[in-house]
Amino acid sequence: MKKVVSVMMAALMLCGAVFAKPAKGNVKVGVAMPTKSLQRWNQDGSNMKKELEKAGYKVDLQYANNDIALQTQQIENMITKGNQILVIASIDGSALKGVLDTAKKAGIQVIAYDRMIMNSDAVTYYATFDNYKVGTIQGDYLVDKLNLKNRSSSDPAYIEFFTGSPDDNNINFFFGGAMDVLKPYLDNGSLVCRSGQTAKAQCATQNWSTEKAQARMEALIASQKYGPTGTKLDAVYSSNDSCAQGITNALVGAGYTAANFPIVTGQDCDKPSVKNMIAGTQAMSVFKDTRTLASQVVKMVDAIAKGTTPPINDRQTYDNGTGVIPSFLCEPVFGDKSNYKKLLIDSGYYKEADLH
């Protein structure tokens, strides 16, 4: 009898231990994405939701249509609904301090996703790619393809510059990295920007808008008389693919074809841009595998939920105005027509049919 009672007590204690342990399914994670209008954010949100739910978390995924007030409201709702961890890809990295103060008071930890959130001490961690390296990859590509190391001011290459939204802190790294590579050639005259628009503010594209990039490129074509039989244009630096697509549209409209197309850079390997690379109307794009970034965020969420420190590989680069934010930087890689199949299709990121 004593043996039976002991067994029953042991079973009860085991059940109690099982039910007392906090389940991941009870941990709610709010994921705030900026917009569905760009392919990459759809993929980021989808990948993160899939990975987090696979790991056992409840996920509240919201897109804000590039509306800062809407994103603020969505985050407020996430706080009210009891999300214990927030993952935020901000529209404007400087516009969330108020709502994140509320999150901090509620004990909610915040992971800035891909875009740094500025001037808020509520940000616990940052998950992104090595954004400075994105810019240097693009710059190095242009140095190589324009043969800048062997050119002089008597035979310069001609270029125009486009970067992204001025409210996105990442453009400081994308554009900064590229310009650090290209500035020596601009200084010695072997690389020339005819418009003179080389400052970040002059090259910015609000909301990374394809339409705004196209309109500005069309204005440059008109003012500088660029064209296949007009003024020479060898390259257009673009920080990302959504801008590159607008640039390509404008250049095609000006009569350029794959046979004489200026070198156009990009980032994200969006489907339209990969199609343009295959067609010869965009030269390259920097690939940032959002699956990798999603996996790192899940590791961060796991660590926060367990009260441990997540994997961090950078503690010096990203100061958001309140101090350096512990970060994990994933590796960006170079993609073009020569390696897109291995990079994107063989890895399962896209299907062959997606690109034709």
Side-chain angles (χ1 to χ4, degrees):
M1 183 68 180
K2 286 183 178 179
K3 185 176 181 180
V4 173
V5 172
S6 297
V7 171
M8 290 177 65
M9 289 295 291
L12 287 168
M13 289 174 67
L14 179 60
C15 289
V18 170
F19 289 114
K21 184 179 179 181
K24 280 185 180 179
N26 293 327
V27 176
K28 298 178 182 177
V29 181
V31 178
M33 292 280 108
T35 182
K36 278 189 171 182
S37 65
L38 295 182
Q39 177 196 315
R40 71 146 301 184
W41 295 119
N42 286 311
Q43 290 179 185
D44 281 67
S46 176
N47 286 335
M48 207 169 340
K49 188 173 190 292
K50 179 181 175 182
E51 289 285 329
L52 286 167
E53 287 179 343
K54 185 179 177 182
Y57 295 98
K58 292 181 179 177
V59 180
D60 180 6
L61 171 61
Q62 300 291 329
Y63 291 88
N65 196 31
N66 273 332
D67 184 326
I68 296 168
L70 178 58
Q71 185 169 62
T72 301
Q73 183 182 11
Q74 288 172 342
I75 295 169
E76 287 172 347
N77 290 340
M78 289 174 182
I79 295 168
T80 302
K81 289 189 292 185
N83 287 275
Q84 293 104 312
I85 300 168
L86 298 178
V87 181
I88 302 172
S90 63
I91 297 167
D92 182 339
S94 300
L96 297 176
K97 185 182 183 306
V99 69
L100 293 189
D101 284 347
T102 303
K104 185 176 181 180
K105 288 175 185 175
I108 298 168
Q109 300 217 39
V110 176
I111 299 169
Y113 182 90
D114 199 55
R115 295 175 171 177
M116 177 55 81
I117 299 169
M118 304 302 291
N119 304 315
S120 171
D121 62 2
V123 180
T124 315
Y125 299 108
Y126 181 35
T128 189
F129 286 85
D130 188 334
N131 295 316
Y132 183 80
K133 188 172 182 179
V134 169
T136 62
I137 289 172
Q138 294 166 331
D140 287 339
Y141 182 89
L142 289 166
V143 169
D144 177 50
K145 297 302 180 183
L146 295 173
N147 194 28
L148 293 180
K149 290 181 180 179
N150 297 311
R151 298 184 91 121
S152 68
S153 58
S154 62
D155 178 32
Y158 294 93
I159 191 170
E160 294 291 346
F161 293 92
F162 285 70
T163 191
S165 200
D167 53 17
D168 183 347
N169 184 59
N170 283 347
I171 73 167
N172 296 314
F173 295 91
F174 301 146
F175 191 67
M179 292 303 281
D180 281 352
V181 172
L182 297 174
K183 190 174 185 301
Y185 303 100
L186 289 165
D187 288 347
N188 70 19
S190 59
L191 184 65
V192 174
C193 177
R194 292 185 191 275
S195 70
Q197 296 175 15
T198 60
K200 181 179 65 177
Q202 294 172 308
C203 303
T205 309
Q206 189 68 44
N207 294 329
W208 299 90
S209 166
T210 298
E211 294 74 20
K212 286 183 171 61
Q214 180 171 341
R216 179 167 170 255
M217 189 69 238
E218 287 170 347
L220 288 169
I221 289 168
S223 65
Q224 304 302 318
K225 303 188 181 341
Y226 290 129
T229 59
T231 305
K232 186 181 179 187
L233 178 64
D234 296 294
V236 183
Y237 168 80
S238 171
S239 284
N240 90 329
D241 283 350
S242 58
C243 292
Q245 289 155 27
I247 294 161
T248 289
N249 292 343
L251 293 171
V252 169
Y256 288 99
T257 66
N260 55 24
F261 217 80
I263 295 167
V264 179
T265 63
Q267 171 189 183
D268 295 329
C269 284
D270 286 349
K271 290 175 189 176
S273 281
V274 179
K275 290 178 182 179
N276 286 343
M277 287 196 292
I278 296 168
T281 56
Q282 182 172 326
M284 62 84 74
S285 185
V286 178
F287 180 48
K288 304 191 306 186
D289 193 333
T290 55
R291 296 168 300 183
T292 303
L293 191 56
S295 295
Q296 284 304 138
V297 169
V298 172
K299 291 175 185 176
M300 282 186 171
V301 169
D302 263 335
I304 291 170
K306 294 173 183 174
T308 59
T309 302
I312 295 297
N313 63 7
D314 186 284
R315 294 181 180 273
Q316 60 184 22
T317 304
Y318 290 95
D319 188 329
N320 78 339
T322 67
V324 175
I325 306 300
S327 306
F328 191 96
L329 311 184
C330 299
E331 279 290 300
V333 294
F334 159 86
D336 68 359
K337 189 175 181 178
S338 71
N339 71 346
Y340 80 91
K341 287 187 177 181
K342 181 178 180 181
L343 193 66
L344 302 172
I345 297 172
D346 293 351
S347 71
Y349 195 77
Y350 292 141
K351 296 177 182 177
E352 183 82 49
D354 292 332
L355 306 177
H356 296 284

